[in-house]
Amino acid sequence: MLPPLPGWIAAQPAETLEEAAFRSGAALAHLVLASTPEGVPQALWRDRLALAAAEVCAGLAGRREAASAMRDALHLAKAGDDPGPAGRVSRQWSRAVARPISVTHLANSLEGSGPERIALCLDAAGPTPVDRAAQVIEAVLTDSPRSETAALILADAVLAKSLGWTHVLPLISPALKARDLRLRGDELLLTCHRAVVSGVRQALPLAGSLARAAARLRAVVPKLRAKGAARAVEMFLSQDALAPVALAREMPDSLSDRAARRLCERLVELGALRELTGRDTFRLYGI
């Protein structure tokens, strides 16, 4: 069990910038200490938070897509197919959190954001990491008011970079609303500090839940006979959801489509995996 966020940090929204900055700093410090144990599957944690952030971004663009629909759009589209607006938002977030932060990686992940703009964002200056993230949101949306997804990915990227983290961890983005992105200056900064506290409140219990689920999944590996099962388990520990066909495509010498489906069903029987769609076909699995 990871220690919960102390109640005083999130008891009520901070009313002043000084109080908000103090609380967001305390929340981030607690998150770092609580979420670094080896049992937390970091890549999966980031990808699950990325789905939550993508759902928010889709809403900002006027698309009320549930997480289940966004999973479908991302994971069931064939290679080279257009996954649609919701799928593109999900894809940008999933790609952004998958690899270490760099100008090149983010340029390959984001639609419509050039390396020059990304480099300027990552070099944002300010007294605190949250100040820098708020500056990025304001700068990107001032130049391109409809680039909400890029603005929020870059904001969480500069927050992570400022904290010395190697990967984007969606913290600010899942807690912002459309009206928040119309704010500027100190009002936006205050909202970003509050968003960090809300983001940590969401991220911390998720990390604990995923750590426990990861332990259950690792524990059943000796019971699996399928060739490639250990590699499949590691894939489930790094991604929010997978279709059996994706496992087979990743390991063509170890798993056929049919064997991949049987492996997923076996993991569900063992209580180590969940079927996420509730469908009989086109199923997706995750922990």
Side-chain angles (χ1 to χ4, degrees), residues 202-247:
Q202 178 177 346
L204 193 58
L206 177 62
S209 175
L210 293 177
R212 294 187 292 275
R216 290 194 298 270
L217 182 56
R218 291 188 178 103
V220 304
V221 172
K223 301 178 182 180
L224 303 174
R225 297 180 179 179
K227 185 180 179 183
R231 168 63 179 146
V233 164
E234 291 306 311
M235 290 179 66
F236 280 115
L237 290 174
S238 65
Q239 297 186 50
D240 165 65
L242 283 166
V245 66
L247 295 176

mmCIF file of all heavy atoms in Angstrom, residues 202-247:
data_model
loop_
_atom_site.group_PDB
_atom_site.id
_atom_site.type_symbol
_atom_site.label_atom_id
_atom_site.label_comp_id
_atom_site.label_asym_id
_atom_site.label_seq_id
_atom_site.Cartn_x
_atom_site.Cartn_y
_atom_site.Cartn_z
ATOM 1 N N GLN A 202 -5.172 11.705 -7.999
ATOM 2 C CA GLN A 202 -5.601 10.664 -8.937
ATOM 3 C C GLN A 202 -4.483 9.666 -9.195
ATOM 4 O O GLN A 202 -4.724 8.455 -9.280
ATOM 5 C CB GLN A 202 -6.032 11.306 -10.254
ATOM 6 C CG GLN A 202 -6.459 10.319 -11.325
ATOM 7 C CD GLN A 202 -6.936 11.017 -12.591
ATOM 8 O OE1 GLN A 202 -7.200 12.217 -12.608
ATOM 9 N NE2 GLN A 202 -7.032 10.260 -13.676
ATOM 10 N N ALA A 203 -3.263 10.154 -9.332
ATOM 11 C CA ALA A 203 -2.146 9.294 -9.731
ATOM 12 C C ALA A 203 -1.690 8.359 -8.615
ATOM 13 O O ALA A 203 -1.285 7.222 -8.880
ATOM 14 C CB ALA A 203 -0.976 10.164 -10.199
ATOM 15 N N LEU A 204 -1.732 8.826 -7.383
ATOM 16 C CA LEU A 204 -1.161 8.051 -6.279
ATOM 17 C C LEU A 204 -1.931 6.755 -6.000
ATOM 18 O O LEU A 204 -1.322 5.675 -5.959
ATOM 19 C CB LEU A 204 -1.089 8.929 -5.030
ATOM 20 C CG LEU A 204 -0.251 8.403 -3.872
ATOM 21 C CD1 LEU A 204 1.187 8.159 -4.316
ATOM 22 C CD2 LEU A 204 -0.288 9.384 -2.711
ATOM 23 N N PRO A 205 -3.248 6.802 -5.824
ATOM 24 C CA PRO A 205 -3.951 5.523 -5.621
ATOM 25 C C PRO A 205 -3.884 4.611 -6.834
ATOM 26 O O PRO A 205 -3.891 3.382 -6.694
ATOM 27 C CB PRO A 205 -5.397 5.951 -5.315
ATOM 28 C CG PRO A 205 -5.514 7.343 -5.802
ATOM 29 C CD PRO A 205 -4.151 7.958 -5.683
ATOM 30 N N LEU A 206 -3.823 5.202 -8.033
ATOM 31 C CA LEU A 206 -3.675 4.382 -9.232
ATOM 32 C C LEU A 206 -2.358 3.627 -9.203
ATOM 33 O O LEU A 206 -2.296 2.440 -9.550
ATOM 34 C CB LEU A 206 -3.767 5.254 -10.482
ATOM 35 C CG LEU A 206 -3.555 4.532 -11.820
ATOM 36 C CD1 LEU A 206 -4.618 3.458 -12.040
ATOM 37 C CD2 LEU A 206 -3.554 5.535 -12.971
ATOM 38 N N ALA A 207 -1.283 4.292 -8.768
ATOM 39 C CA ALA A 207 0.018 3.628 -8.676
ATOM 40 C C ALA A 207 -0.051 2.447 -7.722
ATOM 41 O O ALA A 207 0.479 1.366 -8.004
ATOM 42 C CB ALA A 207 1.090 4.625 -8.218
ATOM 43 N N GLY A 208 -0.714 2.636 -6.578
ATOM 44 C CA GLY A 208 -0.842 1.535 -5.634
ATOM 45 C C GLY A 208 -1.649 0.386 -6.191
ATOM 46 O O GLY A 208 -1.291 -0.785 -6.028
ATOM 47 N N SER A 209 -2.760 0.715 -6.855
ATOM 48 C CA SER A 209 -3.608 -0.323 -7.445
ATOM 49 C C SER A 209 -2.860 -1.106 -8.514
ATOM 50 O O SER A 209 -2.929 -2.339 -8.565
ATOM 51 C CB SER A 209 -4.857 0.332 -8.042
ATOM 52 O OG SER A 209 -5.650 -0.609 -8.720
ATOM 53 N N LEU A 210 -2.118 -0.401 -9.351
ATOM 54 C CA LEU A 210 -1.369 -1.077 -10.412
ATOM 55 C C LEU A 210 -0.224 -1.912 -9.838
ATOM 56 O O LEU A 210 0.111 -2.969 -10.390
ATOM 57 C CB LEU A 210 -0.835 -0.059 -11.411
ATOM 58 C CG LEU A 210 -1.891 0.668 -12.252
ATOM 59 C CD1 LEU A 210 -1.233 1.699 -13.158
ATOM 60 C CD2 LEU A 210 -2.702 -0.322 -13.086
ATOM 61 N N ALA A 211 0.389 -1.446 -8.762
ATOM 62 C CA ALA A 211 1.459 -2.223 -8.136
ATOM 63 C C ALA A 211 0.934 -3.560 -7.633
ATOM 64 O O ALA A 211 1.570 -4.611 -7.800
ATOM 65 C CB ALA A 211 2.086 -1.428 -6.995
ATOM 66 N N ARG A 212 -0.253 -3.536 -7.021
ATOM 67 C CA ARG A 212 -0.837 -4.785 -6.531
ATOM 68 C C ARG A 212 -1.236 -5.697 -7.686
ATOM 69 O O ARG A 212 -1.024 -6.915 -7.641
ATOM 70 C CB ARG A 212 -2.045 -4.472 -5.639
ATOM 71 C CG ARG A 212 -1.675 -3.746 -4.353
ATOM 72 C CD ARG A 212 -2.857 -3.611 -3.416
ATOM 73 N NE ARG A 212 -3.882 -2.714 -3.928
ATOM 74 C CZ ARG A 212 -3.879 -1.389 -3.773
ATOM 75 N NH1 ARG A 212 -2.872 -0.807 -3.137
ATOM 76 N NH2 ARG A 212 -4.873 -0.657 -4.228
ATOM 77 N N ALA A 213 -1.813 -5.108 -8.731
ATOM 78 C CA ALA A 213 -2.202 -5.909 -9.895
ATOM 79 C C ALA A 213 -0.980 -6.493 -10.593
ATOM 80 O O ALA A 213 -1.003 -7.637 -11.067
ATOM 81 C CB ALA A 213 -3.006 -5.044 -10.874
ATOM 82 N N ALA A 214 0.102 -5.709 -10.663
ATOM 83 C CA ALA A 214 1.334 -6.193 -11.290
ATOM 84 C C ALA A 214 1.918 -7.366 -10.505
ATOM 85 O O ALA A 214 2.423 -8.335 -11.093
ATOM 86 C CB ALA A 214 2.346 -5.062 -11.395
ATOM 87 N N ALA A 215 1.842 -7.293 -9.188
ATOM 88 C CA ALA A 215 2.345 -8.399 -8.362
ATOM 89 C C ALA A 215 1.545 -9.672 -8.624
ATOM 90 O O ALA A 215 2.122 -10.770 -8.701
ATOM 91 C CB ALA A 215 2.274 -8.015 -6.886
ATOM 92 N N ARG A 216 0.214 -9.543 -8.758
ATOM 93 C CA ARG A 216 -0.601 -10.726 -9.057
ATOM 94 C C ARG A 216 -0.243 -11.301 -10.420
ATOM 95 O O ARG A 216 -0.166 -12.532 -10.584
ATOM 96 C CB ARG A 216 -2.087 -10.349 -9.036
ATOM 97 C CG ARG A 216 -2.646 -10.038 -7.669
ATOM 98 C CD ARG A 216 -4.170 -10.018 -7.681
ATOM 99 N NE ARG A 216 -4.696 -8.978 -8.552
ATOM 100 C CZ ARG A 216 -4.960 -7.729 -8.147
ATOM 101 N NH1 ARG A 216 -4.712 -7.372 -6.897
ATOM 102 N NH2 ARG A 216 -5.473 -6.859 -8.998
ATOM 103 N N LEU A 217 -0.021 -10.426 -11.387
ATOM 104 C CA LEU A 217 0.299 -10.907 -12.734
ATOM 105 C C LEU A 217 1.646 -11.611 -12.756
ATOM 106 O O LEU A 217 1.785 -12.693 -13.351
ATOM 107 C CB LEU A 217 0.292 -9.719 -13.706
ATOM 108 C CG LEU A 217 0.572 -10.032 -15.177
ATOM 109 C CD1 LEU A 217 -0.405 -11.068 -15.714
ATOM 110 C CD2 LEU A 217 0.519 -8.754 -16.006
ATOM 111 N N ARG A 218 2.631 -11.031 -12.115
ATOM 112 C CA ARG A 218 3.961 -11.660 -12.093
ATOM 113 C C ARG A 218 3.913 -13.009 -11.368
ATOM 114 O O ARG A 218 4.652 -13.936 -11.710
ATOM 115 C CB ARG A 218 4.969 -10.729 -11.419
ATOM 116 C CG ARG A 218 5.292 -9.461 -12.213
ATOM 117 C CD ARG A 218 6.443 -8.708 -11.572
ATOM 118 N NE ARG A 218 6.816 -7.525 -12.335
ATOM 119 C CZ ARG A 218 6.495 -6.271 -11.992
ATOM 120 N NH1 ARG A 218 5.796 -6.070 -10.877
ATOM 121 N NH2 ARG A 218 6.866 -5.249 -12.731
ATOM 122 N N ALA A 219 3.047 -13.119 -10.367
ATOM 123 C CA ALA A 219 2.988 -14.343 -9.571
ATOM 124 C C ALA A 219 2.476 -15.537 -10.355
ATOM 125 O O ALA A 219 2.771 -16.689 -10.003
ATOM 126 C CB ALA A 219 2.114 -14.118 -8.338
ATOM 127 N N VAL A 220 1.701 -15.299 -11.421
ATOM 128 C CA VAL A 220 1.136 -16.425 -12.159
ATOM 129 C C VAL A 220 2.019 -16.874 -13.318
ATOM 130 O O VAL A 220 1.700 -17.872 -13.976
ATOM 131 C CB VAL A 220 -0.272 -16.094 -12.700
ATOM 132 C CG1 VAL A 220 -1.190 -15.665 -11.570
ATOM 133 C CG2 VAL A 220 -0.229 -15.038 -13.797
ATOM 134 N N VAL A 221 3.112 -16.178 -13.579
ATOM 135 C CA VAL A 221 3.969 -16.540 -14.716
ATOM 136 C C VAL A 221 4.392 -18.005 -14.667
ATOM 137 O O VAL A 221 4.358 -18.701 -15.695
ATOM 138 C CB VAL A 221 5.195 -15.604 -14.796
ATOM 139 C CG1 VAL A 221 6.189 -16.109 -15.847
ATOM 140 C CG2 VAL A 221 4.755 -14.191 -15.148
ATOM 141 N N PRO A 222 4.790 -18.561 -13.502
ATOM 142 C CA PRO A 222 5.182 -19.984 -13.482
ATOM 143 C C PRO A 222 4.065 -20.944 -13.879
ATOM 144 O O PRO A 222 4.338 -22.096 -14.228
ATOM 145 C CB PRO A 222 5.606 -20.207 -12.022
ATOM 146 C CG PRO A 222 5.984 -18.853 -11.518
ATOM 147 C CD PRO A 222 5.037 -17.916 -12.199
ATOM 148 N N LYS A 223 2.811 -20.498 -13.825
ATOM 149 C CA LYS A 223 1.688 -21.361 -14.179
ATOM 150 C C LYS A 223 1.386 -21.344 -15.674
ATOM 151 O O LYS A 223 0.524 -22.105 -16.135
ATOM 152 C CB LYS A 223 0.438 -20.935 -13.408
ATOM 153 C CG LYS A 223 0.579 -20.984 -11.898
ATOM 154 C CD LYS A 223 -0.700 -20.509 -11.218
ATOM 155 C CE LYS A 223 -0.546 -20.523 -9.713
ATOM 156 N NZ LYS A 223 -1.790 -20.067 -9.021
ATOM 157 N N LEU A 224 2.053 -20.496 -16.413
ATOM 158 C CA LEU A 224 1.749 -20.341 -17.837
ATOM 159 C C LEU A 224 2.649 -21.241 -18.668
ATOM 160 O O LEU A 224 3.867 -21.262 -18.476
ATOM 161 C CB LEU A 224 1.938 -18.880 -18.255
ATOM 162 C CG LEU A 224 1.113 -17.858 -17.463
ATOM 163 C CD1 LEU A 224 1.491 -16.445 -17.879
ATOM 164 C CD2 LEU A 224 -0.383 -18.108 -17.664
ATOM 165 N N ARG A 225 2.058 -21.960 -19.595
ATOM 166 C CA ARG A 225 2.827 -22.879 -20.438
ATOM 167 C C ARG A 225 3.084 -22.325 -21.832
ATOM 168 O O ARG A 225 3.928 -22.839 -22.560
ATOM 169 C CB ARG A 225 2.072 -24.209 -20.550
ATOM 170 C CG ARG A 225 1.899 -24.934 -19.219
ATOM 171 C CD ARG A 225 1.149 -26.240 -19.419
ATOM 172 N NE ARG A 225 0.981 -26.970 -18.168
ATOM 173 C CZ ARG A 225 0.350 -28.124 -18.062
ATOM 174 N NH1 ARG A 225 -0.194 -28.678 -19.148
ATOM 175 N NH2 ARG A 225 0.235 -28.724 -16.887
ATOM 176 N N ALA A 226 2.352 -21.306 -22.213
ATOM 177 C CA ALA A 226 2.480 -20.778 -23.575
ATOM 178 C C ALA A 226 3.872 -20.223 -23.804
ATOM 179 O O ALA A 226 4.426 -19.508 -22.955
ATOM 180 C CB ALA A 226 1.437 -19.685 -23.811
ATOM 181 N N LYS A 227 4.423 -20.536 -24.941
ATOM 182 C CA LYS A 227 5.696 -19.966 -25.323
ATOM 183 C C LYS A 227 5.522 -18.464 -25.514
ATOM 184 O O LYS A 227 4.575 -18.010 -26.137
ATOM 185 C CB LYS A 227 6.175 -20.607 -26.630
ATOM 186 C CG LYS A 227 7.562 -20.168 -27.073
ATOM 187 C CD LYS A 227 7.942 -20.863 -28.372
ATOM 188 C CE LYS A 227 9.318 -20.420 -28.840
ATOM 189 N NZ LYS A 227 9.667 -21.048 -30.156
ATOM 190 N N GLY A 228 6.429 -17.698 -24.944
ATOM 191 C CA GLY A 228 6.305 -16.255 -25.051
ATOM 192 C C GLY A 228 5.457 -15.634 -23.963
ATOM 193 O O GLY A 228 5.204 -14.416 -23.996
ATOM 194 N N ALA A 229 5.000 -16.433 -22.992
ATOM 195 C CA ALA A 229 4.115 -15.911 -21.954
ATOM 196 C C ALA A 229 4.802 -14.838 -21.112
ATOM 197 O O ALA A 229 4.194 -13.816 -20.772
ATOM 198 C CB ALA A 229 3.637 -17.046 -21.057
ATOM 199 N N ALA A 230 6.061 -15.055 -20.773
ATOM 200 C CA ALA A 230 6.770 -14.074 -19.947
ATOM 201 C C ALA A 230 6.879 -12.735 -20.664
ATOM 202 O O ALA A 230 6.702 -11.672 -20.051
ATOM 203 C CB ALA A 230 8.152 -14.599 -19.575
ATOM 204 N N ARG A 231 7.154 -12.780 -21.959
ATOM 205 C CA ARG A 231 7.235 -11.544 -22.740
ATOM 206 C C ARG A 231 5.861 -10.871 -22.817
ATOM 207 O O ARG A 231 5.754 -9.642 -22.718
ATOM 208 C CB ARG A 231 7.744 -11.874 -24.140
ATOM 209 C CG ARG A 231 7.615 -10.752 -25.155
ATOM 210 C CD ARG A 231 8.422 -9.537 -24.796
ATOM 211 N NE ARG A 231 8.285 -8.512 -25.813
ATOM 212 C CZ ARG A 231 8.288 -7.196 -25.563
ATOM 213 N NH1 ARG A 231 8.437 -6.766 -24.327
ATOM 214 N NH2 ARG A 231 8.161 -6.333 -26.551
ATOM 215 N N ALA A 232 4.809 -11.648 -22.945
ATOM 216 C CA ALA A 232 3.460 -11.092 -22.986
ATOM 217 C C ALA A 232 3.123 -10.393 -21.671
ATOM 218 O O ALA A 232 2.519 -9.313 -21.666
ATOM 219 C CB ALA A 232 2.441 -12.185 -23.281
ATOM 220 N N VAL A 233 3.509 -11.000 -20.557
ATOM 221 C CA VAL A 233 3.272 -10.386 -19.254
ATOM 222 C C VAL A 233 3.963 -9.039 -19.170
ATOM 223 O O VAL A 233 3.390 -8.058 -18.677
ATOM 224 C CB VAL A 233 3.734 -11.326 -18.129
ATOM 225 C CG1 VAL A 233 3.859 -10.582 -16.806
ATOM 226 C CG2 VAL A 233 2.773 -12.498 -17.990
ATOM 227 N N GLU A 234 5.203 -8.962 -19.630
ATOM 228 C CA GLU A 234 5.911 -7.680 -19.597
ATOM 229 C C GLU A 234 5.217 -6.641 -20.463
ATOM 230 O O GLU A 234 5.219 -5.445 -20.128
ATOM 231 C CB GLU A 234 7.362 -7.872 -20.045
ATOM 232 C CG GLU A 234 8.209 -8.655 -19.066
ATOM 233 C CD GLU A 234 8.160 -8.061 -17.658
ATOM 234 O OE1 GLU A 234 8.342 -6.828 -17.531
ATOM 235 O OE2 GLU A 234 7.930 -8.818 -16.703
ATOM 236 N N MET A 235 4.621 -7.044 -21.563
ATOM 237 C CA MET A 235 3.877 -6.097 -22.390
ATOM 238 C C MET A 235 2.658 -5.573 -21.658
ATOM 239 O O MET A 235 2.349 -4.375 -21.715
ATOM 240 C CB MET A 235 3.480 -6.756 -23.709
ATOM 241 C CG MET A 235 4.643 -7.020 -24.655
ATOM 242 S SD MET A 235 4.131 -7.820 -26.203
ATOM 243 C CE MET A 235 3.115 -6.525 -26.945
ATOM 244 N N PHE A 236 1.965 -6.453 -20.942
ATOM 245 C CA PHE A 236 0.805 -6.007 -20.171
ATOM 246 C C PHE A 236 1.208 -5.086 -19.026
ATOM 247 O O PHE A 236 0.401 -4.277 -18.560
ATOM 248 C CB PHE A 236 0.025 -7.202 -19.630
ATOM 249 C CG PHE A 236 -0.876 -7.834 -20.644
ATOM 250 C CD1 PHE A 236 -0.657 -9.133 -21.076
ATOM 251 C CD2 PHE A 236 -1.954 -7.134 -21.171
ATOM 252 C CE1 PHE A 236 -1.494 -9.718 -22.015
ATOM 253 C CE2 PHE A 236 -2.795 -7.715 -22.117
ATOM 254 C CZ PHE A 236 -2.565 -9.011 -22.544
ATOM 255 N N LEU A 237 2.441 -5.206 -18.572
ATOM 256 C CA LEU A 237 2.925 -4.344 -17.493
ATOM 257 C C LEU A 237 3.415 -2.992 -18.009
ATOM 258 O O LEU A 237 3.856 -2.161 -17.217
ATOM 259 C CB LEU A 237 4.059 -5.043 -16.734
ATOM 260 C CG LEU A 237 3.633 -6.233 -15.885
ATOM 261 C CD1 LEU A 237 4.844 -6.933 -15.298
ATOM 262 C CD2 LEU A 237 2.674 -5.799 -14.772
ATOM 263 N N SER A 238 3.339 -2.770 -19.311
ATOM 264 C CA SER A 238 3.813 -1.503 -19.861
ATOM 265 C C SER A 238 2.760 -0.745 -20.653
ATOM 266 O O SER A 238 3.001 0.395 -21.044
ATOM 267 C CB SER A 238 5.035 -1.749 -20.757
ATOM 268 O OG SER A 238 4.686 -2.516 -21.897
ATOM 269 N N GLN A 239 1.582 -1.362 -20.886
ATOM 270 C CA GLN A 239 0.560 -0.705 -21.695
ATOM 271 C C GLN A 239 -0.805 -0.818 -21.045
ATOM 272 O O GLN A 239 -1.125 -1.830 -20.414
ATOM 273 C CB GLN A 239 0.517 -1.324 -23.096
ATOM 274 C CG GLN A 239 1.804 -1.145 -23.892
ATOM 275 C CD GLN A 239 1.681 -1.647 -25.316
ATOM 276 O OE1 GLN A 239 0.741 -1.297 -26.028
ATOM 277 N NE2 GLN A 239 2.620 -2.469 -25.735
ATOM 278 N N ASP A 240 -1.604 0.202 -21.252
ATOM 279 C CA ASP A 240 -2.946 0.243 -20.672
ATOM 280 C C ASP A 240 -3.803 -0.909 -21.147
ATOM 281 O O ASP A 240 -4.535 -1.514 -20.362
ATOM 282 C CB ASP A 240 -3.609 1.575 -21.053
ATOM 283 C CG ASP A 240 -5.101 1.563 -20.819
ATOM 284 O OD1 ASP A 240 -5.517 1.457 -19.653
ATOM 285 O OD2 ASP A 240 -5.858 1.648 -21.815
ATOM 286 N N ALA A 241 -3.736 -1.241 -22.428
ATOM 287 C CA ALA A 241 -4.582 -2.295 -22.991
ATOM 288 C C ALA A 241 -3.873 -2.911 -24.192
ATOM 289 O O ALA A 241 -3.082 -2.250 -24.866
ATOM 290 C CB ALA A 241 -5.939 -1.745 -23.406
ATOM 291 N N LEU A 242 -4.216 -4.174 -24.451
ATOM 292 C CA LEU A 242 -3.654 -4.878 -25.606
ATOM 293 C C LEU A 242 -4.711 -5.808 -26.178
ATOM 294 O O LEU A 242 -5.479 -6.438 -25.443
ATOM 295 C CB LEU A 242 -2.430 -5.701 -25.205
ATOM 296 C CG LEU A 242 -1.118 -4.949 -24.979
ATOM 297 C CD1 LEU A 242 -0.112 -5.854 -24.274
ATOM 298 C CD2 LEU A 242 -0.545 -4.458 -26.298
ATOM 299 N N ALA A 243 -4.737 -5.908 -27.486
ATOM 300 C CA ALA A 243 -5.538 -6.927 -28.160
ATOM 301 C C ALA A 243 -4.667 -8.161 -28.365
ATOM 302 O O ALA A 243 -3.446 -8.037 -28.556
ATOM 303 C CB ALA A 243 -6.033 -6.403 -29.501
ATOM 304 N N PRO A 244 -5.240 -9.364 -28.320
ATOM 305 C CA PRO A 244 -4.436 -10.572 -28.555
ATOM 306 C C PRO A 244 -3.645 -10.507 -29.855
ATOM 307 O O PRO A 244 -2.510 -10.983 -29.916
ATOM 308 C CB PRO A 244 -5.487 -11.682 -28.582
ATOM 309 C CG PRO A 244 -6.575 -11.177 -27.708
ATOM 310 C CD PRO A 244 -6.630 -9.697 -27.950
ATOM 311 N N VAL A 245 -4.225 -9.898 -30.888
ATOM 312 C CA VAL A 245 -3.521 -9.816 -32.153
ATOM 313 C C VAL A 245 -2.248 -9.001 -32.024
ATOM 314 O O VAL A 245 -1.258 -9.252 -32.726
ATOM 315 C CB VAL A 245 -4.442 -9.234 -33.250
ATOM 316 C CG1 VAL A 245 -4.795 -7.774 -32.962
ATOM 317 C CG2 VAL A 245 -3.807 -9.365 -34.621
ATOM 318 N N ALA A 246 -2.236 -8.033 -31.115
ATOM 319 C CA ALA A 246 -1.023 -7.232 -30.901
ATOM 320 C C ALA A 246 0.076 -8.079 -30.276
ATOM 321 O O ALA A 246 1.252 -7.916 -30.604
ATOM 322 C CB ALA A 246 -1.338 -6.029 -30.020
ATOM 323 N N LEU A 247 -0.300 -8.975 -29.364
ATOM 324 C CA LEU A 247 0.684 -9.883 -28.788
ATOM 325 C C LEU A 247 1.276 -10.784 -29.867
ATOM 326 O O LEU A 247 2.492 -10.991 -29.934
ATOM 327 C CB LEU A 247 0.045 -10.740 -27.697
ATOM 328 C CG LEU A 247 -0.457 -10.047 -26.443
ATOM 329 C CD1 LEU A 247 -1.151 -11.057 -25.538
ATOM 330 C CD2 LEU A 247 0.697 -9.383 -25.703
#
